[in-house]
Amino acid sequence: MAADAGSSPLQLPCVFSPKSRQYLALCAQDGRLRIWNTDSKTLHQEYVPSAHLSATCTCIAWGPCRTVKEGPQRKKRKSEAVQVEEKADLLAMGTAAGTVLIYSTAKGALHCTLDGGHSGGVNCVQWHPEDSLLYSGSDDTNIIEWDLQTGKMRSKWKADRAAVTSLCVSHDGKLLLSAGQVIKMWDLDTKEVYRKFTGHSTAVTTLRFATTRPPDSNGLYFLSGAAHDRLLSVWQVRQDGKDKNSVVSFTLTDEPRHIDLVASNTKEEAVRLSVVCKDGQLHLFEHFLNGPCKKPLSPLCSVQMSDTKDSPLPIPLLAAALGADTRSVLLAYGNHLQPVMERVEINTAERHLCLTRDVQTNLSISMETAVSKVKTPIVNTKSRVLVPGLPGHQAPVKGMSQGSEKRKKDTDTKEMSIAERLGEIDLSTVSTEKGAPKGTATLQTDNFAVLLVQGLESNDANILNKVFQTRKEVVIKKTVARLPLPAVLPLVEEITKRLQGHPFTAVLMVRWLKAVLMHHTSYLASLPDLVTQLGVLYHMIESRVKMFHKLTKLHGKLYLLMTQVATSDSSTTVTDVDHTAKLVYEEESSDEDEASGDEGLPDDDSD
C-alpha cells in the first residue's frame, strides 16, 4: 500500500505475507521493520536501518513465495522423501529517499539495495508474480522495472504528470495498473498504455485486480481506493473501450487503509473483500462481478473492537487477512509497536459485530514469550534510529543521558495556552521567501488544522478569525484536508454563518467552502439529515446565483453604454468618459430629486 502522497499524516505500512499468512511485516513509528509470527504471536525478526539508509519507510510489499535454504543442512538419503516447501522470504521496502531496500527474512539481513533510479520518494512497490522483477512508483512521476537477479534497473518510463501513488500487477503478469492523476493500464511487454480510467479526485492509495480473466473477455475487473474517499470503486475493462467510469462502488465508514481480496476466477464465483478503514473498523464484502450496479453496496458485515473496561474504548484494527474458509479472518489490532494477532470466526449473518478484548493482558503475554527469539542484524556504532514524522525525516533520536532521567524540579518550561499561541502568531508576517529573517513567524498547515478544530469546539471567534483570514489557496486546501471528519459539519455551519456577513468575509468563506466540497463531499453526502443541516447554505447559494444573473445583465448593458459613449467622441479618453458619465449620472439624479420634490409642493400661482 502506498503512502498518502503528503495529503494526510504518514500511513504506517502493515502487510501480511502471502499464501500461509505466517508473517506480519510492519514499520512502526521508530522507523524499524518488525516481522511478527502470526502462529506463535511473537516477534520473529527486527531490522534496524543503518546510517546511510536512514530514510522513512513509505511502503512495503512481500515477494512471491519461493524455496529458500536456512543455514547448513545434512545431505538426505535417496530413500528419504524430499518435500520442498515454498516460504515468504523477500520483502521490498520503499523509502522517502528514493531507494528500494530488499530484505531477506531467511537470512535476517538486507538482501540488496536498489538505488540511483528515483529522484523523489518511493510511494509504492509491486512484485511480478512469476519473474524476478519489481516495479516502483515515485513522486518523480516515473515507474521503474527492477531486475532482482542483477540488482539493476531494467527499464524506466514516465507514467503521469503527477506522482505515482499506487501500482498493481495482474495475476498473469502481463498488465500493470498505475495511479497518478488518472488510472492507467500498461502492457508490460511494450510499456505502452492499454487503457485509461478517470480515477479519483484525491491520491489513489490502493489498486487491486478483482478477477483473473483475460482483458478481451469483458470479465476483467479491478478496484481502487483513494485518500479521503469513503468509496471503493470497481472498474471493468471492456472490449469496446467504454470503461472510463466505475461500474460498482463499495461504501466505507472512512478512507481505506488495508485491503485483502480473494479474486474471482469465473462469473459464478464471487469476489471476497476485507477492508480496514482509517477509523479502525473492518468491513467485509462479497459480490458477483457481472456488469454495472447503480447503487453503492453496503458491507456484508462490519467489525469493531473495544476493550473490557467499564467505559469501553475502541481498539483500532491494523490489518485483516481472509482465510480459505469464508468465516475465518486473521486480525491484527492494537498498535504498530506491539500488535496483537488473532484468528477469529465471524458470523456474517450479523451486520454489525463488536469484539471485546483485554489488550493489556495480551501485550504482557506476548512480550514474555517473545524474549530471545529476535534475529537482529549487527549494526555499527554509527547507526541511528528514525524519528517518527513525515516522509524523509532524518533527524536522529538523541540518546538520554544518565543525568536527564530525572526531571529537574526547578524547570521553568510550561505548555503555552491557546491565547499565548495566538498572540505569537501573526499571519501577516508569514513569509515563504528564502531570505526571510529567522525571527519571522511561520504557521504550519498542521497548526491551522489544530487551531481550527479548537476554535470550532470552543466557538472562540478570536481563534476562528485568525485562521479564516488567510488568503492562500494551498494553505486552505491542506488545512481542510487534514480536518477530522467530525469537524467538517461544524466548519460548514460556521462558513454558512460568515457568508451572511460582510462582503469581504464572504469572499474568503467561498474559498473555504470550495475546499470543503472538494475534499469532503462523499462524507457530507452520507449524512442522513443533510437537507435540514445544509438547507440554509443551499438557499443562500441559490439566491446569490439568481442575483448574479441579473448583475451580469446589468454589467453587459453598462459596458455597451460606455463603449458607445467612448466611440461617439474619439478625442475623449477612457478616463474622461468615466468622469463624464459620473457627472451626467449625478446631474440626472439631482434633477430627479428636485422634480420629485416639486411634485409635493403647491404652485405659487394658486395662491
Side-chain angles (χ1 to χ4, degrees):
M1 295 177 64
D4 205 15
S7 58
S8 66
L10 176 63
Q11 178 180 335
L12 298 174
C14 180
V15 183
F16 282 104
S17 61
K19 292 187 178 181
S20 65
R21 314 290 187 180
Q22 185 181 2
Y23 299 117
L24 173 68
L26 44 78
C27 289
Q29 294 88 339
D30 58 0
R32 302 187 180 196
L33 171 69
R34 290 182 176 88
I35 300 175
W36 296 82
N37 191 314
T38 58
D39 296 330
S40 60
K41 312 290 190 300
T42 56
L43 183 61
H44 178 63
Q45 289 180 19
E46 185 179 57
Y47 174 67
V48 184
S50 57
H52 68 284
L53 298 174
S54 57
T56 307
C57 178
T58 55
C59 53
I60 54 180
W62 285 95
C65 295
R66 64 172 192 165
T67 306
V68 294
K69 295 181 180 180
E70 297 188 16
Q73 297 179 350
R74 69 176 183 85
K75 293 183 180 181
K76 297 183 178 180
R77 299 176 182 176
K78 294 182 180 181
S79 58
E80 294 180 354
V82 179
Q83 186 175 0
V84 179
E85 182 182 2
E86 292 186 343
K87 294 183 178 180
D89 177 27
L90 297 182
L91 187 69
M93 298 182 290
T95 68
T99 59
V100 179
L101 311 179
I102 308 298
Y103 180 81
S104 173
T105 56
K107 300 176 183 177
L110 196 65
H111 180 71
C112 66
T113 302
L114 309 177
D115 54 6
H118 290 295
S119 58
V122 178
N123 296 321
C124 47
V125 286
Q126 189 71 213
W127 292 81
H128 193 282
E130 298 174 358
D131 302 331
S132 298
L133 300 176
L134 180 74
Y135 299 91
S136 60
S138 169
D139 286 335
D140 61 8
T141 71
N142 293 321
I143 297 176
I144 294 181
E145 184 182 61
W146 302 93
D147 190 342
L148 271 299
Q149 293 182 349
T150 62
K152 295 181 180 180
M153 182 171 56
R154 187 172 176 179
S155 61
K156 177 179 179 180
W157 69 95
K158 185 177 178 62
D160 207 286
R161 295 181 180 178
V164 180
T165 55
S166 187
L167 294 172
C168 184
V169 182
S170 61
H171 297 87
D172 57 5
K174 295 180 179 180
L175 299 173
L176 173 69
L177 287 171
S178 71
Q181 288 184 338
V182 297
I183 299 175
K184 295 181 181 179
M185 181 176 287
W186 303 85
D187 188 336
L188 286 179
D189 293 333
T190 60
K191 306 297 186 297
E192 294 181 354
V193 177
Y194 181 74
R195 290 288 168 81
K196 287 185 180 181
F197 305 86
T198 52
H200 299 255
S201 59
T202 55
V204 177
T205 56
T206 300
L207 288 172
R208 291 291 180 90
F209 279 95
T211 59
T212 59
R213 298 164 231 169
D216 56 353
S217 62
N218 284 344
L220 183 61
Y221 293 83
F222 70 90
L223 62 85
S224 63
H228 312 296
D229 196 342
R230 307 196 315 167
L231 288 175
L232 274 180
S233 300
V234 180
W235 312 79
Q236 182 183 15
V237 183
R238 297 171 55 91
Q239 283 182 309
D240 54 11
K242 298 179 181 179
D243 47 16
K244 292 186 178 181
N245 298 323
S246 61
V247 293
V248 182
S249 297
F250 297 108
T251 58
L252 307 172
T253 54
D254 207 337
E255 67 176 82
R257 282 297 174 90
H258 184 277
I259 292 179
D260 189 42
L261 182 144
V262 178
S264 168
N265 298 317
T266 61
K267 291 183 179 180
E268 292 74 22
E269 186 178 359
V271 173
R272 295 171 53 210
L273 181 67
S274 71
V275 184
V276 176
C277 296
K278 183 180 178 181
D279 58 2
Q281 295 190 50
L282 168 66
H283 303 288
L284 301 175
F285 298 89
E286 190 170 333
H287 181 66
F288 291 92
L289 293 175
N290 190 15
C293 183
K294 294 183 179 180
K295 294 184 179 180
L297 301 176
S298 301
L300 186 67
C301 180
S302 297
V303 181
Q304 291 178 284
M305 300 197 73
S306 66
D307 54 23
T308 56
K309 297 180 181 178
D310 295 334
S311 299
L313 296 175
I315 301 173
L317 282 159
L318 305 178
L322 298 171
D325 184 9
T326 56
R327 297 168 58 94
S328 177
V329 180
L330 178 61
L331 302 178
Y333 55 90
N335 60 73
H336 285 76
L337 291 172
Q338 181 71 29
V340 181
M341 290 142 290
E342 180 183 356
R343 195 176 296 275
V344 297
E345 297 288 330
I346 295 179
N347 182 14
T348 54
E350 298 184 24
R351 296 294 299 274
H352 299 279
L353 292 175
C354 184
L355 306 177
T356 56
R357 297 291 185 272
D358 188 356
V359 181
Q360 299 297 329
T361 305
N362 289 338
L363 289 179
S364 60
I365 294 175
S366 299
M367 289 298 292
E368 290 175 2
T369 56
V371 177
S372 74
K373 291 189 177 182
V374 179
K375 291 173 64 178
T376 304
I378 301 175
V379 294
N380 53 29
T381 56
K382 296 182 180 180
S383 300
R384 57 181 177 179
V385 181
L386 301 182
V387 163
L390 298 176
H393 198 297
Q394 300 184 8
V397 176
K398 296 181 180 179
M400 293 183 61
S401 60
Q402 296 179 353
S404 62
E405 293 179 358
K406 296 182 180 180
R407 292 189 175 182
K408 297 181 180 180
K409 295 182 180 181
D410 56 345
T411 53
D412 296 332
T413 58
K414 61 179 181 179
E415 187 176 354
M416 296 176 63
S417 64
I418 297 177
E420 292 173 343
R421 291 173 63 188
L422 286 172
E424 291 194 357
I425 295 174
D426 185 6
L427 298 181
S428 61
T429 61
V430 175
S431 175
T432 57
E433 298 178 2
K434 294 182 179 179
K438 294 182 179 179
T440 305
T442 57
L443 189 61
Q444 302 287 339
T445 309
D446 291 337
N447 299 59
F448 269 111
V450 172
L451 287 176
L452 182 56
V453 172
Q454 291 175 349
L456 293 172
E457 291 178 351
S458 61
N459 200 18
D460 192 325
N462 188 21
I463 298 178
L464 295 175
N465 291 337
K466 284 284 186 181
V467 176
F468 284 141
Q469 70 182 9
T470 180
R471 302 182 184 181
K472 295 182 178 180
E473 293 280 354
V474 177
V475 175
I476 293 175
K477 290 180 180 179
K478 291 186 177 181
T479 302
V480 172
R482 283 172 166 82
L483 277 183
L485 290 179
V488 173
L489 193 58
L491 174 60
V492 174
E493 294 175 352
E494 183 66 26
I495 292 174
T496 305
K497 187 192 308 180
R498 290 174 178 259
L499 278 172
Q500 304 173 13
H502 193 276
F504 177 75
T505 306
V507 172
L508 293 177
M509 290 299 100
V510 169
R511 299 179 182 179
W512 285 89
L513 180 61
K514 179 182 175 183
V516 171
L517 295 178
M518 286 178 60
H519 290 280
H520 300 290
T521 302
S522 59
Y523 168 70
L524 293 174
S526 65
L527 298 177
D529 51 349
L530 182 65
V531 178
T532 57
Q533 292 176 335
L534 301 183
V536 178
L537 178 62
Y538 173 76
H539 291 300
M540 187 191 312
I541 294 176
E542 188 179 21
S543 62
R544 295 200 177 193
V545 169
K546 292 181 180 179
M547 185 62 65
F548 177 75
H549 184 63
K550 296 179 180 179
L551 290 174
T552 305
K553 285 185 175 180
L554 178 60
H555 177 268
K557 292 179 180 180
L558 289 175
Y559 179 77
L560 289 174
L561 179 62
M562 296 301 296
T563 305
Q564 293 174 359
V565 172
T567 54
S568 63
D569 188 3
S570 58
S571 61
T572 307
T573 60
V574 177
T575 306
D576 295 333
V577 171
D578 293 340
H579 184 63
T580 305
K582 183 179 180 182
L583 292 176
V584 171
Y585 176 78
E586 291 176 351
E587 289 176 0
E588 289 178 354
S589 301
S590 61
D591 293 340
E592 289 177 1
D593 293 339
E594 291 176 3
S596 61
D598 293 340
E599 289 176 2
L601 295 175
D603 294 332
D604 294 335
D605 297 337
S606 63
D607 294 338

